[in-house]
Amino acid sequence: MNQVAITRAEWQPVCKRSDLVANSGVCALVGENSAGPRTAGQHKSIALFFIPGAEPQLYAIDNRDPFADAGVIARGIIAEIDGELTVASPLYKHHYRLRDGVCLEDNSVQLGCYSVALDGDTVLVASIEQG
């Protein structure tokens, strides 16, 4: 897995390594007060994917499907299309690349994509989207 310099101000713990499901997605909240009381606009739902044997093994993208306006991406099916790891939304079956969130059926649509890392057994997600 890639080595990443982790500074606590930029990274947020979201779950334990044991919470991840191999070759599948899980949903987590990131942002201010994600572990405390929920206030609109202070947190975001992301989909975390753990793909053993892939490089990298961890991916984090927005959980909201923009076509269905529903938080379902973490429940999607992982597939490799033309050498790219993707997730298919369970509703309208659009495919999103895990590395950058781009929709294969409509490349003008892109999910937010986040850096993700392991610190011991803790899964950390960067507090800002990758540019």
Side-chain angles (χ1 to χ4, degrees):
M1 204 176 303
N2 292 343
Q3 297 295 316
V4 178
I6 297 172
T7 59
R8 295 290 172 217
E10 298 173 7
W11 293 82
Q12 178 181 353
V14 292
C15 65
K16 296 291 183 189
R17 162 66 179 81
S18 59
D19 295 323
L20 301 176
V21 179
N23 299 307
S24 187
V26 297
C27 183
L29 291 177
V30 294
E32 295 179 37
N33 299 321
S34 63
R38 307 291 189 262
T39 304
Q42 290 186 328
H43 64 277
K44 179 176 255 194
S45 175
I46 62 164
L48 294 170
F49 296 94
F50 173 50
I51 316 296
E55 187 56 42
Q57 293 184 359
L58 295 173
Y59 298 87
I61 59 176
D62 285 336
N63 191 44
R64 183 158 279 315
D65 179 337
F67 293 101
D69 195 26
V72 296
I73 296 298
R75 296 182 184 145
I77 296 172
I78 303 296
E80 187 175 318
I81 298 176
D82 295 331
E84 295 275 1
L85 284 174
T86 66
V87 59
S89 172
L91 297 179
Y92 295 123
K93 312 302 186 236
H94 291 91
H95 296 87
Y96 299 92
R97 285 193 307 238
L98 293 181
R99 70 177 168 89
D100 61 8
V102 170
C103 177
L104 298 185
E105 288 78 18
D106 181 350
N107 65 5
S108 70
V109 176
Q110 182 175 9
L111 302 178
C113 191
Y114 305 85
S115 295
V116 61
L118 279 175
D119 183 18
D121 188 45
T122 303
V123 178
L124 302 170
V125 174
S127 58
I128 57 172
E129 291 181 34
Q130 292 177 353

